[in-house]
Amino acid sequence: MEIEQLRAELRRHEHLYYVLDSPEISDADYDKLLRELQKLESAHPELITPDSPTQRVGGAPREGFIKLPHSSPMLSLDNALNEGELLDFDRRVRELLAGEPFQYVAELKLDGLSMAARYADGQLQLALTRGDGATGEDVTPNARTIRSLPLRVSESTPFEVRGEVIISNLAFQRLNDEREQEGLPRYANPRNSAAGSLRMLDPQVTAARKLDFYAYFYLVNGVPGQPHHSLALNHLAALGFKVNSARRVCANVDELLAFIREFEAQRDTLPYEIDGVVAKVDSIDQQNRLGWTAKFPRWAIAFKYAARQAETVVEKIDVQVGRTGALTPVAHLRPVEVSGVTVSRSTLHNEDEIARLGLAEGDTVVVERSGDVIPKVIRVVAHGTDRRLFTMPAACPVCQGHVVRPEGEVIWRCINVNCPARLKNSVRHFASRAVMDITGLGRELVDQVVDKGLVRGIADIYQLTADQLAALERMGAKSAERVMAGIEKSKTLPLPRVINGLGIPFVGERTAQVLADHFGSLAAIRLADEPALQQVEDVGPKVSQSIRAFFDDEHNQALVDRLNDAGLTLTHQKVDRSGGPLAGLTFVLTGTLPTLSRDEAKALIEAAGGKVSGSVSKKTSYVVAGEEAGSKLDKARELNIPILDEAALQAKLE
Ligand code: IVH
């Protein structure tokens, strides 16, 4: 029957997208299918089932959560804070098992909150937070909104899955940016935001938060449902749960340590926060014989990585002006090392954030690198002896122009469009590598051309002459020629880059691309009204309003006209790459390639019609591996996916 077929198809795409991270269709095509199902269901409401993909969000906000007992206690793990403590743990296990052979399973310790989900008759029945370990809070309607948690599985006997609810670093940053726009306080780190989001009384709010669930325990009647933990993880993956592919069976503690070091090195590049590695004895029989202490299992341990926090003093707070005129307070810190990186500055975002922290110059604070490589001040631990309270400047610190804080916003802005700080940052953005890639037009040169009055707006870049440039400090005829060549070359770059370069608030690389694909020219975008703009994938009211406001401004209209006169590429043809040599193939990149950067390899593959995905699955056609390739390479071998080096990739591109 049509409706059930459609649901099965949607479930398959949800699994591909949210669990395996390798979608087969575009978001727009997925939405089309979902709308079709919604239409069928509203015509036949009697056919709606609770496990339908349309039923992830339902029900009204609640007053509070009901507490329910866990099927067996949800305890936590003992920690090993260094190698010595891990070796102690390993020695105890070996002693207790009296020389019997055994193996460990190593998994990443994701930094979120644990949750138990119970299934019966193939349906998700109940989801509980950990709570105090004995009882948890019933968060079922919220858990249903987590797209990587299946509502329906092919196992009809009752079982329970336990795992970690997290928010990815990207979703965390987007959420915080949105909160800032709305004048709400930012979350300190991804874990707090995941916890806050799962415990929303209104499931609609949870749904918007893009949470993720990684499964790590499979229980039947409150006890492990497979004879080995590694088998349980494979079984969960086969049932459609998201199980982290960064996991490994280790024959001994040395292999465990190798896993720990490998992922410590990758910590900054993972898409989510981890705070360590969990090691578990693989055999459930051996786990049972090892047993538990009063608080912890003797068969598992959490190896903790160094905290990404440190204490230091805020020596000064000053204010920077960005390209949209936003005034951002920045803390200058006494330099301190946070997990291998020296930190001396940290953004404080806005004046409300400073008030929330209760921060003044001279205070001692905790800084954390979390969810982002950029450090954050997360709390004040001691007041300085001579504290200097911060107030936002009454005028722009760069041009002394008017500053305003629009109603409902938390950000003060300099409203002088000719403010040199705004201008310099706009020109830097425009000339940067990812945008118009004008070689040589870096920070220092931008400062000079703006300070000398040679550039009063982006379009002036195209009026610069080699003589003007050669006359500047630390420049000569040769470097001037190089910059001129970069400027000339930028005229040939495709329209999406130009759109990104305009600096329209909320329009970055991706939105620029979809706008160009949809409208085909800058002239058409400039004429489009808000409803027309909202026809574009990912463009909502906030973005369409911002685009409209930009093009309604006469300065910006003049800017676009001048860019047109300068001969930039302002039209665009959506490129059909379905005939390219790599069409239909999906690649995963891992490790460092000898000559190509990640971005370059990705661009080459995409230009040849191929797709690049972040994780290895059965759908992966090739894994391209370089030096120090990690778990993705292991996974490729496990799934028998062909592995290419850079030379083999180049051969395929030809
Ligand atoms: S095993 C008794 N595995 O870390 C076994 N925990 O202190 C307990 N966590 O509360 C959990 N990733 O929230 C396990 N792969 C993983 C984990 C993991 C994250 C969290 C979990 C737990 C805490 C352990």
Side-chain angles (χ1 to χ4, degrees), residues 75-77 107-110 114 164 216-217 278 280 297:
L75 298 181
S76 70
L77 296 176
E107 292 161 67
L108 298 185
K109 187 169 184 301
L110 300 187
S114 42
E164 202 78 354
Y216 55 66
F217 271 129
V278 177
K280 298 168 189 161

Side-chain angles (χ1 to χ4, degrees), residues 587-596 601 605 622-627 629 633 637 641-653:
F587 292 75
V588 173
L589 302 166
T590 176
T592 314
L593 299 175
T595 69
L596 294 173
I605 292 169
Y622 295 98
V623 168
V624 183
E627 292 263 314
L633 186 56
R637 294 202 176 107
I641 289 163
I643 295 157
L644 306 177
D645 60 9
E646 185 181 307
L649 171 67
Q650 297 277 19
K652 289 214 171 291
L653 285 164

Side-chain angles (χ1 to χ4, degrees), residues 224-386:
Q226 289 275 333
H228 284 80
H229 180 60
S230 53
L231 295 177
L233 295 179
N234 295 344
H235 182 65
L236 286 170
L239 283 176
F241 291 93
K242 193 163 185 172
V243 181
N244 205 328
S245 61
R247 62 180 194 268
R248 191 178 297 162
V249 174
C250 296
N252 52 48
V253 76
D254 290 329
E255 290 189 14
L256 202 55
L257 274 166
F259 182 90
I260 288 170
R261 295 298 162 228
E262 197 176 307
F263 282 95
E264 188 169 28
Q266 288 181 38
R267 199 174 171 193
D268 277 343
T269 61
L270 295 172
Y272 41 68
E273 276 294 299
I274 58 171
D275 59 348
V277 164
V278 177
K280 298 168 189 161
V281 168
D282 193 17
S283 150
I284 304 300
D285 172 48
Q286 288 175 327
Q287 285 186 5
N288 289 337
R289 283 187 282 125
L290 287 161
W292 299 68
T293 67
K295 278 165 74 185
F296 305 121
R298 288 199 194 86
W299 43 266
I301 191 116
F303 182 94
K304 288 293 221 34
Y305 289 137
R308 308 230 274 179
Q309 286 189 345
E311 281 186 15
T312 189
V313 173
V314 173
E315 294 181 326
K316 197 167 148 323
I317 299 173
D318 74 7
V319 171
Q320 292 185 346
V321 186
R323 70 185 150 88
T324 57
L327 268 54
T328 307
V330 176
H332 292 253
L333 307 167
R334 185 170 297 161
V336 62
E337 198 178 295
V338 188
S339 57
V341 174
T342 303
V343 172
S344 56
R345 284 151 51 91
S346 161
T347 169
L348 296 168
H349 300 292
N350 54 63
E351 63 177 342
D352 287 9
E353 175 73 4
I354 296 176
R356 189 182 70 81
L357 290 165
L359 174 70
E361 290 179 335
D363 286 354
T364 301
V365 296
V366 174
V367 289
E368 179 177 273
R369 290 173 60 221
S370 177
D372 195 347
V373 256
I374 300 163
K376 290 185 189 76
V377 171
I378 59 166
R379 63 175 182 277
V380 173
V381 287
H383 287 171
T385 41
D386 76 290

